[in-house]
Amino acid sequence: MNPILTAAIIVVYIGILAFLGYKAHQQTRSSDDFLLAGRKVHPFVMALSYGAAFISTSAIIGFGGFAAAFGMSLLWLVFANIFFGIFVAFIFFGLPTRRLGLKLKAQTFPEFLGRFYQSRLIHGLMAFIIVLFMPLYASAVLIASARFIETTFALDYNVAILIFSALIAVYVILGGLKGVMFADAFQGSIMFAGMLLLLLFAYGKMGGVVPTHKELDNLPAKIAQEFDELTPKLENIRKLDASDANVADESIEQWTAKMNQQAKAHSAEEQAAPQSEALAQYVELRKDEKAAATIDNHLVVSKISQNGFQGWTRFPATGTKLFYVILTSIICGVGIGALAQPQLAVRFMTVKSDRELHRAVVMGGVFICCIVGTAYLVGSLTNVWFFQQSGRIAMTSVSDGNLDKIIPTFINQALPKWFGLLFMLTLLSAAISTLSSLFHAMGSALGRDLIECSILNKTGNSSIPLMKVCVFLSLIVTTILSFYMPKGIVAIATSTFMGLCAVSFLPMYVGALYWKRVTRAGAIASLVVGFAFSFFWMTFVQMPKGELPALFANMFLGKPSILSEPWRWIDVIVITLPISTLTLIVVSLLTKPELRED
Amino acid sequence: MLGLDDPVIWSGYLACILSTLLCIGYGAWHWNDNENDDASK
């Protein structure tokens, strides 16, 4: 890529963001402007802003890579994102939230529920959960974004984090939610164009929709067949290894995996001669690129098949680890988790009337379908392209099997250079738009909800300077956190925050919108039980996505989980959401009905 | 369907398209509906 052209495009991009921030700053006069963009946002801007805040870089790169590894079952997450994340969210949550929010004169999501239930405790607790846990999520997004900047522009990781934070600070602090939403709409447009072109390119490059799907469908059989053809050669080498008593008990896959490790250790030592004749011949065999690819592909596929993988065009086998992770963590957790996210729910209150929300549904649905649908489809289809080019599947085409590298590697190798630049802007936009929404939500939760409403008991309009200071503080905390967060925290922090929001806020949010018999006590009980039970589940049974042992179970009992499989693969939302919902219903029915204006 | 054999997968593909069409259809049908227009009153 021409570095001067790249730099020029980045400068123009940042210039446009700064201009939008300045325009929003000029139009921000009241706290309604700063917190709710003046409640007069255009439906197109609202829909794109909602979608761009919803979808971060990790959704495109991370989940795209996950789809490359585990296949098209993620299409059900696309469906959940469109149906629950847009249709249900806009129609069944957005419309009543806008009307009720206006009536209650609420300016933030915690204030909306706090005022509905006439409870400072609910207001304060929600703000406390947001202020405490949203920085984790935001720093996870910041880390993923900085890693992307680091690799794309060869910048130092720490410098990348600082540049990113400073850029976002300028337009969030200057322009409030107006600045965020204007910038989101601009960035959402870039994301839409980039992902639409990617989908067209990908299908075009690989020979069209049906032939590509068929080829992907046949890939596991091809991989198995190639390995079968290579097996006689491997068996001959294994015979030389017969001095090892264990060899006879091993399957050919186990033996090959062992030899792979020995070959890797040998190549690391460079000059040393192979320790055995078998290893020498195995190293020789791997010098043939085709044989090495066949071995690597087969080993990866047989490993993930043990967890339930049945092919990239098949849903994982029922009852396996992969089945539970995809169904509960990915489809239900991420799909339903989006419904009670404070930074998304507040956007329903930014439009003037129901008409804007009706119109925004059209753009929102198309936008999400295009962005996540492309990411997960192209992720799966990269296997066909990599296999056609090098005889390797996606996971064996990138170094260390790092799933996050699959989509960028595909873009760099398969698509024209100019598209690489557009895609870089797409990812930059996805990162900045999500982060700016989070900074704004954290700043308003701290300034408006926690300090003004809960501590100072102020009910009128907010002080804009205080909001700006709080946005800045949340930015500082997130930036500092991102320097200290452990490696591999991105997916865990994201799922933790989404899970906590869904189980703690969703039942009382639905109750406020649709159930007249709901009471303040029921809402408080549901919030406390949902939060406490999810904390228990995450620390004793399952860390989100089941990748690490549950913290306290590991610390106190020395085991990864207090429950056995399949429980430890089931996401916290699936278990805890019914419990917090039941708590809301039971406690509301047991307490005195409350009189509210209709 | 669409070159995909597993009904769970092709129905997922179809569900994505249908849910997008649902959003488009709903939005188009209610394009000018504006009940409870509190803000403009």
Side-chain angles (χ1 to χ4, degrees):
Chain A
M1 231 182 294
N2 182 341
I4 298 172
L5 179 68
T6 309
I9 290 176
I10 296 289
V11 168
V12 171
Y13 176 81
I14 292 175
I16 293 175
L17 285 184
F19 172 74
L20 291 171
Y22 175 71
K23 282 295 285 178
H25 173 65
Q26 282 185 318
Q27 295 174 16
T28 298
R29 298 271 173 269
S30 66
S31 60
D32 243 13
D33 289 334
F34 192 86
L35 294 170
L36 287 174
R39 296 190 199 256
K40 283 178 187 163
V41 172
H42 190 277
F44 178 79
V45 174
M46 188 270 169
L48 282 182
S49 169
Y50 188 96
F54 190 175
I55 306 300
S56 66
T57 315
S58 58
I60 298 173
I61 296 288
F63 281 74
F66 191 86
F70 304 110
M72 289 190 176
S73 42
L74 257 71
L75 283 174
W76 281 103
L77 174 59
V78 182
F79 163 74
N81 284 156
I82 303 166
F83 187 73
F84 294 107
I86 298 291
F87 187 76
V88 171
F90 280 41
I91 306 303
F92 295 99
F93 287 77
L95 291 173
T97 301
R98 189 200 70 76
R99 294 173 202 152
L100 202 53
L102 191 66
K103 201 167 104 184
L104 296 168
K105 295 190 173 63
Q107 293 182 317
T108 65
F109 184 55
E111 189 175 17
F112 172 82
L113 287 176
R115 286 197 174 182
F116 176 84
Y117 288 107
Q118 294 162 10
S119 164
R120 274 174 71 195
L121 181 63
I122 289 178
H123 195 165
L125 273 177
M126 286 181 73
F128 183 69
I129 291 174
I130 294 169
V131 169
L132 203 64
F133 290 96
M134 202 184 256
L136 281 179
Y137 174 38
S139 54
V141 179
L142 188 59
I143 288 171
S145 316
R147 291 262 176 243
F148 163 70
I149 297 274
E150 181 191 26
T151 48
T152 312
F153 301 105
L155 266 178
D156 177 67
Y157 170 71
N158 295 334
V159 176
I161 284 193
L162 291 175
I163 292 178
F164 229 84
S165 306
L167 175 65
I168 297 165
V170 171
Y171 75 84
V172 181
I173 293 174
L174 268 183
L177 193 58
K178 249 182 203 175
V180 172
M181 292 182 82
F182 286 173
D184 282 356
F186 164 63
Q187 291 163 327
S189 307
I190 294 177
M191 288 164 70
F192 187 78
M195 296 307 276
L196 186 63
L197 277 175
L198 176 60
L199 183 68
L200 298 176
F201 266 131
Y203 272 128
K205 276 262 172 193
M206 289 179 252
V209 177
V210 175
T212 312
H213 291 172
K214 279 194 173 153
E215 212 166 326
L216 187 61
D217 197 33
N218 292 332
L219 208 48
K222 262 189 196 169
I223 290 167
Q225 189 196 344
E226 285 183 352
F227 189 78
D228 285 346
E229 286 165 11
L230 192 69
T231 302
K233 281 187 185 173
L234 289 168
E235 288 289 6
N236 283 338
I237 300 173
R238 181 150 83 148
K239 279 177 196 155
L240 300 172
D241 199 21
S243 54
D244 187 341
N246 294 326
V247 167
D249 301 331
E250 287 171 341
S251 69
I252 189 71
E253 282 87 4
Q254 286 169 325
W255 178 80
T256 315
K258 187 184 79 183
M259 293 304 280
N260 253 2
Q261 282 182 347
Q262 290 181 11
K264 208 178 258 177
H266 165 67
S267 71
E269 291 164 16
E270 285 184 5
Q271 299 302 322
Q275 290 159 347
S276 67
E277 178 58 20
L279 184 59
Q281 290 210 14
Y282 185 79
V283 169
E284 200 55 37
L285 178 71
R286 277 196 67 96
K287 283 182 183 163
D288 174 9
E289 244 315 303
K290 175 91 173 70
T294 301
I295 291 170
D296 293 344
N297 289 343
H298 183 74
L299 288 183
V300 164
V301 171
S302 40
K303 192 175 171 191
I304 56 176
S305 297
Q306 287 165 8
N307 289 330
F309 176 78
Q310 304 194 101
W312 291 275
T313 55
R314 286 165 206 281
F315 207 80
T318 313
T320 58
K321 177 187 169 185
L322 199 56
F323 174 84
Y324 285 114
V325 168
I326 289 186
L327 191 66
T328 68
S329 261
I330 309 273
I331 299 173
C332 295
V334 182
I336 298 172
L339 282 176
Q341 297 244 339
Q343 76 279 16
L344 298 182
V346 75
R347 278 164 169 68
F348 299 137
M349 297 192 274
T350 62
V351 291
K352 195 172 88 178
S353 69
D354 287 359
R355 185 172 55 204
E356 275 71 24
L357 277 175
H358 288 139
R359 292 179 178 184
V361 172
V362 177
M363 191 58 217
V366 174
F367 180 84
I368 295 293
C369 179
C370 173
I371 305 289
V372 285
T374 298
Y376 308 160
L377 266 179
V378 171
S380 306
L381 299 177
T382 54
N383 287 292
V384 173
W385 188 84
F386 282 119
F387 197 78
Q388 283 170 350
Q389 301 301 311
S390 61
R392 286 180 173 272
I393 56 172
M395 268 197 286
T396 60
S397 297
V398 290
S399 55
D400 309 326
N402 185 344
L403 302 186
D404 289 349
K405 288 184 179 165
I406 293 175
I407 298 277
T409 306
F410 173 73
I411 305 281
N412 284 338
Q413 294 182 6
L415 302 176
K417 293 286 176 212
W418 65 265
F419 185 79
L421 195 58
L422 175 62
F423 193 72
M424 178 204 66
L425 285 184
T426 301
L427 294 182
L428 207 58
S429 300
I432 295 180
S433 54
T434 304
L435 272 174
S436 58
S437 315
L438 294 177
F439 286 137
H440 183 271
M442 282 186 285
S444 56
L446 179 63
R448 172 72 183 168
D449 300 314
L450 212 56
I451 298 177
E452 282 193 340
C453 296
S454 301
I455 297 173
L456 304 176
N457 200 16
K458 186 180 167 188
T459 51
N461 280 341
S462 292
S463 144
I464 295 183
L466 175 67
M467 295 301 116
K468 290 185 173 180
V469 169
C470 290
V471 170
F472 185 68
L473 275 178
S474 59
L475 207 136
I476 298 279
V477 170
T478 305
T479 309
I480 293 173
L481 252 182
S482 57
F483 287 125
Y484 295 102
M485 291 256 275
K487 222 178 162 189
I489 199 73
V490 175
I492 293 170
T494 306
S495 304
T496 304
F497 181 73
M498 288 206 172
L500 275 177
C501 283
V503 297
S504 311
F505 306 156
L506 192 56
M508 64 172 171
Y509 185 25
V510 176
L513 300 180
Y514 287 105
W515 194 35
K516 286 187 177 168
R517 184 63 182 80
V518 71
T519 65
R520 186 185 310 130
I524 294 171
S526 160
L527 175 64
V528 172
V529 167
F531 181 79
F533 203 87
S534 17
F535 189 74
F536 166 80
W537 193 263
M538 285 181 201
T539 49
F540 280 99
V541 183
Q542 185 234 23
M543 281 292 269
K545 302 209 185 305
E547 282 159 8
L548 291 177
L551 190 65
F552 292 162
N554 194 33
M555 205 185 283
F556 299 127
L557 307 167
K559 49 188 188 178
S561 168
I562 56 167
L563 296 180
S564 56
E565 295 167 14
W567 293 103
R568 63 173 301 230
W569 307 127
I570 295 177
D571 193 78
V572 61
I573 286 187
V574 177
I575 300 293
T576 316
L577 190 56
I579 293 174
S580 56
T581 307
L582 200 67
T583 307
L584 179 92
I585 296 169
V586 171
V587 177
S588 290
L589 289 176
L590 290 175
T591 45
K592 207 175 144 195
E594 288 158 10
L595 285 177
R596 291 187 197 94
E597 280 180 59
D598 279 325
Chain B
M1 187 183 267
L2 296 163
L4 302 164
D5 281 345
D6 187 350
V8 184
I9 300 296
W10 65 250
S11 55
Y13 203 113
L14 211 60
C16 296
I17 296 170
L18 290 178
S19 54
T20 308
L21 291 176
L22 177 71
C23 290
I24 297 171
Y26 179 90
W29 189 258
H30 295 276
W31 193 257
N32 285 315
D33 284 6
N34 200 16
E35 69 270 29
N36 300 301
D37 188 0
D38 311 338
S40 57
K41 281 175 189 171

